[in-house]
Amino acid sequence: MRAAAPIASMAQFLQVLLSGLSTGAIYALAAIGFTLVWQAARTVNFAQGEFVMLPAFFVLIGVHWLHMPRWLALVFGLIVAVVVLGLLFKKVVVEPMLPNGGLPLIIATMALSILLKEGAKQFYGAEAQPFPSLFPQTTLHVGGAVVSVQDLMNLIVSLAVVVGLTLFLNRTRTGRRMQATAQNPRVAEILGVNTRRMVLYAFLVNAALAALASFLISPIYLAKFSNGETLGLVAFIAAIVGGFNQIRGALAGGLLIGVLDNLTATYVTTEYRAALPLVLLIAIILWRPQGLLGVDEGRKV
Amino acid sequence: MAAAGPSWRRRGEEGLRTRRLTPILLLLGVAALIAAPLGRTDYVIYVLSSWLTFSIAAMGLNLTLGYAGQISLAQASFMGIGAYTTALMTLVGVPWLIAAPAGVALCFVVGLALGFPALRVQGHFLAFVTLAFNTLFFLVARNEEWLTGGSYGLSNLPRPAFWAFDTARNLPFYYFTLIVFLASAALMWGVVRSPWGRAFRGLRENPVRAESLGVDTRRITLLAFAIGSAYGGLAGALISPLVQYIEPSSFAFSQSLRVLLMVVVGGAGLFLGPILGAAVVILLPEFLRFTEGYYLMIYAAAVIALMVYCPTGLIGVGRRLSDRFSPKREVRADMKLGARS
Amino acid sequence: MIGPKFLAAGALAAALGLNAGVALAADTVNIPCVCELSGAGAVAGTNFHDGAHMAVDEINAGGGILGKKIEMTDMDTQTDPMTSRALIQKAIDSGAYAIMGTIYSGSTIVNMMVAEKAGVPQFTGAEAPNITEKHNPFIFRTSSGAEKGVPALTSYFKDHLKVGKIAISWVNNDFGKGGHDVFLAQMKKAGIEVAADVPSEQGQADFSADVSKIKQSGAQAVFVYLNEEEGARFLKEARKQGLTAPLVGEVTLTGQKVIDLAGGAAEGAIAHVGLATSAPVPSIEDFVTKFKKRYGRDTDHNGIKGYIGVYAIKYATELNGKFDRKALADKLHGLTLDAAKYPNMLLTTSWDANGELSRESFITEVKDGKQVVTGTVPAN
């Protein structure tokens, strides 16, 4: 009987750790896209949470209204997301506003988040909708903790995305052009890079990542118009805490927040669990604004 | 070299053109405010009081954001601090005239305390820090039931009574709010016109240059932030007796966004901007009620359009319209932005 | 600058033009519906609204109340307490005879002061205990508050499930806190130990920490006091982690919405329900069929609240024989409307002097993906 207690608590620790990693992996996907858009166009997208909320609804429209088979609806959802949240967003919202500067763009993206949220509510419905899981529901037992296939796939997909994206940005020509555009658009332009197109790619990739995050998270979160509120905030925090100018920073930030949130809720306090990421955010911004894995950009005079 | 940059930052001296008309218009404005609630229903009077209260909060944020260029997303939490302080004190019998200034002073101090570390970072980072602060405030207000009443809130908050003037009914309360509003607006006018105000604006236009000219940017921004927060506290001190019930979700981040919207939609950095913006944000939903669930969407789309076409807000739109209709005064292009090298 | 001044003046003029009154013909009675049609409470509010309108149309088709047709205007509070307060004022200004709404406890506790001051009876769907503790003679519930509902479960835990240790998972807002506080008091009285007290946030999606804590605590049953979506997520996580203790809720846990969202994980969930749309009571079954026919969807307990609230106004007014707000309130205090004589109340309903509602209720369980009534609890 003596041995049961530490084993039981070890199992509990493992449970919340693994669940935290799984949720954190999804936060990471949202944060990565957010970072990309920031780097490429200096745009803080306050509607990022809604970008993750919406693609699930596109899929549901495909399944319930257009009577597509599930796999086709997912592809449909992805394409619509990339077009609407990537292309249209850039052309209709961001581009006209870039000359006006930072604040109007922030306000516009805040208004956009309201528009998307209310739009989902009015046109689809206020109630949460079940969303089909991409993976079988089987569970595995790891050292007393229960892990689902979904949990594992979240982690694997996020890692794959980070690795793939990093390779793409560093090894391919387009990727390097995107990096050049992000670091110094004027020089890149002079050197013959089509900066406008590179910026567009960043938005398209963000939309695709948001869609992916949406498909992975909606089976658990359920598709609901208000999902964007929490997801958006966590995406910002993950991106900033991890490091705004590094892709792996967003991954690290997302995982860290997912795990710490669960650990706090289990071992420290449930009423203030939401405070932890906020305190972390404040601490990082004040003492290490480039984030845990970020690179100090130095002061721009 | 003329200052380049986004148009909403480039602004010359205000009021150059119509100085003579200003006192008359001012008098008319005040008269209109006095006459506004007469003969109206309780509901309309209540909405007007609400508008004036939020105008005070928006004016404060306008100082921080519009004049000093600091993005604060925490105005609602300062309103909350002011509201809870006033509520707790008036519930034990402390008169409003003592409780409210206490709340305002507390907000000023908290503003200084928050601003001191936070203003080391700029722009978006400051926005996030203030956002986090606001959410933390909400959590504390919700969890610390012994102090704030938690989710249940504080109810039966008394309306102040001054000798013969009892504000229990909506109409006298409106005039009470009006007096506070006019006093705070006059004070804000004084601040904006003072050397501090000019320093704020210099800071917004070009912080590096301001610093090189000897402006202590840190102290100035801190001051703007603290004063803006104090105004938020004053608005909160009015909300407690207005609604006579407060609870944490009224002061959550979404409310900060609302106040921000008021400032930006009206016209950031312009004196009347926040007042107009508050009118739009509070009154417009009344007119759009017939659209039922769609009105928030229409509203959001309108804000986006406004940001795209006229980021200086509605006053900017007004300016463009008045430019068309009033006789054109030739202003030398190189003098338009003042004497700058 | 002329521009901004003109605009400000224009805004003021527009404000002055606000028309808050609605001219009513002499042969109608004004009963506005002030409810949550957008925001967090949109689902509850919409159901309440739809149920109320169905009742209004039925009553009007039958000649109205004392010969006057009901005129029901809708006002959306956006689930914001301050907005709801303003709208109740607006409703009163327009000459409301009685008011239907609001549903969220946070809004109701604010706006009912206004209705009380004006002496207008208000029929709320809110369930937080403090609403009927304020000695407001003009507030009336349309469903039992938590202080009536939760104690019904105490005997279920003590005598039926025979548990010695229990855990509670509750949503940390005014609704959840109300139920939580009543529950703790009840458990203390019954001598049952609360092994885990786990609050969660409204809208929370990840319940792994919550479920794991409950598992660790060795609780023999779990009282689940969450909203529908969180309830569904909790059930799924509990199923995943293999939490075997019975999961017992109040009001929402066995609702159709939860069953739809949780799928197989809802199997075996138990709930005490004041108004079960699945109750094998003919009047309720009729109601559900009528609602589905009219609106094309199933409703929940909020639809029933809206429906019976309007009928309560009709019946009590007719018992008085006149339209008198104070008389209406007085009549309702201590009134029992027998469902046999007043069929559209669906169940025999009583109100006490504080506006608290008493009614028979049900214990339900999810069996084979459906909500099934397994027992009744007499009115307390």
Side-chain angles (χ1 to χ4, degrees):
Chain A
M1 228 49 288
R2 280 279 220 65
I7 290 180
S9 53
M10 187 62 201
Q12 182 185 35
F13 176 75
L14 213 51
Q15 177 73 63
V16 296
L17 176 70
L18 292 173
S19 296
L21 284 174
S22 163
T23 326
I26 303 186
Y27 296 157
L29 285 177
I32 292 172
F34 182 71
T35 314
L36 264 184
V37 166
W38 162 255
Q39 286 184 33
R42 298 287 142 185
T43 306
V44 176
N45 179 17
F46 270 85
Q48 185 75 352
E50 276 68 29
F51 279 28
V52 176
M53 174 272 296
L54 217 41
F57 281 98
F58 298 147
V59 172
L60 288 178
I61 291 175
V63 169
H64 293 291
W65 287 15
L66 301 173
H67 303 293
M68 296 175 171
R70 211 170 67 180
W71 67 270
L72 186 59
L74 287 168
V75 172
F76 170 73
L78 179 64
I79 293 177
V80 173
V82 168
V83 169
V84 172
L85 302 176
L87 183 64
L88 282 184
F89 174 55
K90 177 189 185 267
K91 283 229 168 302
V92 173
V93 178
V94 178
E95 235 167 70
M97 224 162 319
L98 274 177
N100 291 338
L103 184 65
L105 191 53
I106 290 180
I107 301 282
T109 52
M110 284 180 187
L112 182 66
S113 86
I114 296 176
L115 183 66
L116 295 176
K117 192 168 99 177
E118 293 296 314
K121 194 182 79 174
Q122 283 299 117
F123 294 123
Y124 204 90
E127 304 195 338
Q129 308 290 330
F131 188 84
S133 175
L134 297 174
F135 310 109
Q137 299 279 52
T138 43
T139 54
L140 308 155
H141 289 259
V142 177
V146 182
V147 172
S148 67
V149 172
Q150 178 84 52
D151 291 338
L152 281 177
M153 289 311 292
N154 289 348
L155 266 173
I156 293 176
V157 168
S158 293
L159 279 169
V161 164
V162 168
V163 169
L165 209 52
T166 315
L167 283 176
F168 170 74
L169 286 175
N170 289 336
R171 299 285 174 86
T172 64
R173 258 217 247 158
T174 319
R176 282 202 293 262
R177 285 185 186 146
M178 282 174 73
Q179 285 200 65
T181 312
Q183 283 166 18
N184 200 329
R186 285 192 203 152
V187 173
E189 187 99 38
I190 292 171
L191 289 176
V193 173
N194 186 342
T195 49
R196 285 185 61 152
R197 186 175 294 179
M198 294 304 120
V199 169
L200 177 64
Y201 288 168
F203 279 86
L204 295 180
V205 172
N206 177 35
L209 287 178
L212 192 58
S214 187
F215 301 158
L216 288 175
I217 208 170
S218 298
I220 313 162
Y221 273 46
L222 308 169
K224 185 165 175 152
F225 71 94
S226 56
N227 278 351
E229 290 164 16
T230 26
L231 282 173
L233 185 60
V234 176
F236 307 148
I237 299 181
I240 293 176
V241 166
F244 234 119
N245 41 30
Q246 293 271 349
I247 302 264
R248 13 171 231 280
L251 177 70
L255 293 176
L256 184 67
I257 299 220
V259 170
L260 279 183
D261 175 51
N262 266 11
L263 290 179
T264 312
T266 311
Y267 295 113
V268 183
T269 161
T270 8
E271 291 182 314
Y272 278 107
R273 84 189 275 180
L276 179 80
L278 300 169
V279 170
L280 204 57
L281 176 71
I282 295 180
I284 289 282
I285 287 186
L286 296 183
W287 281 292
R288 204 186 147 87
Q290 69 269 26
L292 290 172
L293 295 186
V295 166
D296 196 345
E297 285 182 344
R299 205 183 115 153
K300 291 194 170 64
V301 178
Chain B
M1 190 167 71
S7 57
W8 69 278
R9 280 176 170 239
R10 267 183 285 125
R11 236 187 309 280
E13 272 297 322
E14 297 170 23
L16 272 174
R17 285 180 284 179
T18 52
R19 276 261 157 84
R20 297 158 305 185
L21 289 174
T22 305
I24 302 175
L25 281 176
L26 196 63
L27 225 54
L28 277 178
V30 173
L33 285 175
I34 295 178
L38 295 173
R40 316 301 301 181
T41 62
D42 265 338
Y43 172 65
V44 174
I45 301 177
Y46 178 83
V47 170
L48 288 173
S49 304
S50 182
W51 165 52
L52 289 180
T53 307
F54 274 92
S55 295
I56 296 178
M59 273 197 291
L61 184 60
N62 192 26
L63 183 69
T64 309
L65 174 72
Y67 286 99
Q70 304 299 313
I71 304 178
S72 167
L73 292 176
Q75 193 70 337
S77 54
F78 289 108
M79 289 168 76
I81 294 175
Y84 273 100
T85 312
T86 309
L88 288 170
M89 288 176 87
T90 52
L91 274 177
V92 291
V94 176
W96 188 90
L97 279 177
I98 297 182
V104 172
L106 182 60
C107 284
F108 187 80
V109 169
V110 174
L112 283 177
L114 175 64
F116 186 71
L119 290 170
R120 278 195 269 144
V121 296
Q122 290 289 312
H124 309 125
F125 285 130
L126 178 64
F128 287 124
V129 170
T130 51
L131 189 160
F133 176 77
N134 202 142
T135 313
L136 281 173
F137 168 80
F138 166 78
L139 283 174
V140 171
R142 200 242 350 237
N143 292 338
E144 302 307 312
E145 201 182 336
W146 58 275
L147 179 65
T148 61
S151 299
Y152 299 132
L154 298 172
S155 50
N156 291 328
L157 303 176
R159 289 250 173 113
F162 308 101
W163 304 284
F165 188 61
D166 187 356
T167 60
R169 312 243 32 240
N170 278 346
L171 189 59
F173 190 81
Y174 171 81
Y175 287 120
F176 160 65
T177 310
L178 183 60
I179 293 172
V180 176
F181 167 75
L182 288 174
S184 57
L187 188 62
M188 179 60 73
W189 184 253
V191 168
V192 164
R193 286 275 165 246
S194 72
W196 284 346
R198 285 197 284 273
F200 293 153
R201 257 170 296 162
L203 194 64
R204 178 190 70 205
E205 309 279 326
N206 199 333
V208 176
R209 164 179 284 200
E211 187 138 8
S212 69
L213 285 174
V215 173
D216 186 341
T217 47
R218 283 218 67 195
R219 263 178 75 199
I220 287 296
T221 34
L222 199 53
L223 199 59
F225 190 78
I227 297 177
S229 311
Y231 266 72
L234 182 60
L238 282 172
I239 285 183
S240 283
L242 174 67
V243 189
Q244 298 186 275
Y245 169 76
I246 53 173
E247 45 94 40
S249 52
S250 311
F251 305 109
F253 169 65
S254 46
Q255 192 78 278
S256 281
L257 267 187
R258 211 163 159 235
V259 180
L260 181 69
L261 223 51
M262 289 178 195
V263 173
V264 174
V265 165
L270 299 173
F271 188 77
L272 288 178
I275 301 170
L276 179 62
V280 171
V281 172
I282 292 183
L283 299 178
L284 197 61
E286 300 294 318
F287 293 102
L288 288 182
R289 256 184 225 293
F290 66 92
T291 53
E292 293 179 28
Y294 294 94
Y295 93 85
L296 260 181
M297 288 180 65
I298 297 173
Y299 188 60
V303 170
I304 296 179
L306 190 66
M307 286 300 107
V308 171
Y309 293 113
C310 198
T312 42
L314 289 177
I315 290 194
V317 172
R319 273 218 171 120
R320 286 197 193 170
L321 287 177
S322 80
D323 271 348
R324 283 190 172 202
F325 293 122
S326 62
K328 292 197 197 319
R329 259 180 95 207
E330 272 304 311
V331 178
R332 279 176 55 186
D334 60 346
M335 291 303 286
K336 224 203 290 203
L337 294 171
R340 297 180 193 215
S341 64
Chain C
M1 310 159 282
I2 302 182
K5 300 252 188 217
F6 273 172
L7 272 174
L12 201 54
L16 297 182
L18 276 178
N19 187 359
V22 177
L24 287 174
D27 59 352
T28 60
V29 58
N30 183 4
I31 303 179
C33 182
V34 181
C35 47
E36 295 79 354
L37 297 173
S38 63
V43 178
T46 308
N47 274 313
F48 185 87
H49 161 277
D50 289 347
H53 273 273
M54 195 162 89
V56 167
D57 290 344
E58 281 176 10
I59 294 174
N60 282 347
I65 304 180
L66 296 175
K68 289 198 185 188
K69 305 242 167 165
I70 303 177
E71 175 114 13
M72 179 172 271
T73 40
D74 299 328
M75 299 190 203
D76 177 10
T77 70
Q78 301 171 54
T79 323
D80 175 43
M82 289 209 260
T83 307
S84 76
R85 185 196 195 279
L87 288 177
I88 292 280
Q89 182 68 68
K90 189 171 181 179
I92 294 171
D93 287 345
S94 69
Y97 168 61
I99 297 177
M100 289 293 294
T102 43
I103 296 106
Y104 265 49
S105 307
S107 295
T108 309
I109 199 95
V110 182
N111 61 48
M112 71 177 196
M113 291 189 295
V114 181
E116 180 183 354
K117 225 160 59 167
V120 177
Q122 183 180 359
F123 292 79
T124 175
E127 287 165 18
N130 53 359
I131 286 173
T132 45
E133 288 167 5
K134 303 272 182 192
H135 305 295
N136 176 352
F138 289 96
I139 191 78
F140 299 96
R141 288 211 211 255
T142 51
S143 66
S144 304
E147 75 277 24
K148 285 239 179 265
V150 177
L153 274 174
T154 312
S155 65
Y156 187 80
F157 286 126
K158 188 159 180 192
D159 308 319
H160 187 94
L161 289 178
K162 298 196 181 33
V163 297
K165 281 169 89 168
I166 200 164
I168 171 171
S169 170
W170 55 286
V171 58
N172 198 348
N173 59 13
D174 48 3
F175 157 73
K177 193 134 197 351
H180 164 266
D181 293 345
V182 174
F183 178 77
L184 284 186
Q186 286 286 311
M187 290 300 107
K188 200 160 164 206
K189 251 181 24 192
I192 301 178
E193 181 199 338
V194 178
D197 185 336
V198 185
S200 55
E201 301 290 327
Q202 187 164 354
Q204 181 170 316
D206 186 350
F207 280 87
S208 53
D210 305 57
V211 170
S212 129
K213 269 167 99 162
I214 293 175
K215 250 173 97 172
Q216 274 295 80
S217 71
Q220 296 157 310
V222 185
F223 178 51
V224 182
Y225 203 64
L226 304 167
N227 297 117
E228 274 93 342
E229 281 135 22
E230 288 76 56
R233 293 177 187 136
F234 181 89
L235 289 174
K236 281 169 94 157
E237 185 67 30
R239 177 58 51 99
K240 174 182 158 195
Q241 285 195 36
L243 179 62
T244 50
L247 305 173
V248 184
E250 166 74 19
V251 180
T252 54
L253 202 64
T254 54
Q256 190 57 46
K257 191 73 221 168
V258 174
I259 297 174
D260 287 339
L261 294 174
E267 200 67 18
I270 301 166
H272 169 246
V273 180
L275 291 161
T277 47
S278 67
V281 175
S283 52
I284 295 184
E285 288 170 349
D286 280 343
F287 169 80
V288 171
T289 317
K290 269 191 303 196
F291 193 99
K292 185 133 192 192
K293 193 157 163 216
R294 174 170 167 145
Y295 292 107
R297 67 171 205 278
D298 291 313
T299 185
D300 62 5
H301 52 285
N302 291 304
I304 300 184
K305 289 182 205 171
Y307 186 79
I308 62 145
V310 178
Y311 269 101
I313 299 174
K314 169 183 160 73
Y315 292 139
T317 306
E318 284 172 351
L319 282 172
N320 277 341
K322 57 180 174 170
F323 289 100
D324 181 328
R325 296 180 184 90
K326 182 91 180 42
L328 176 64
D330 290 339
K331 187 87 202 149
L332 282 164
H333 291 138
L335 178 67
T336 298
L337 288 174
D338 190 333
K341 266 176 76 182
Y342 303 97
N344 291 96
M345 290 304 294
L346 304 184
L347 291 172
T348 303
T349 310
S350 319
W351 287 272
D352 67 11
N354 283 323
E356 184 56 63
L357 182 145
S358 233
R359 195 166 43 198
E360 179 187 61
S361 52
F362 308 91
I363 301 277
T364 59
E365 190 176 334
V366 179
K367 290 191 177 163
D368 292 327
K370 285 203 170 318
Q371 182 193 65
V372 166
V373 173
T374 56
T376 41
V377 180
N380 56 344

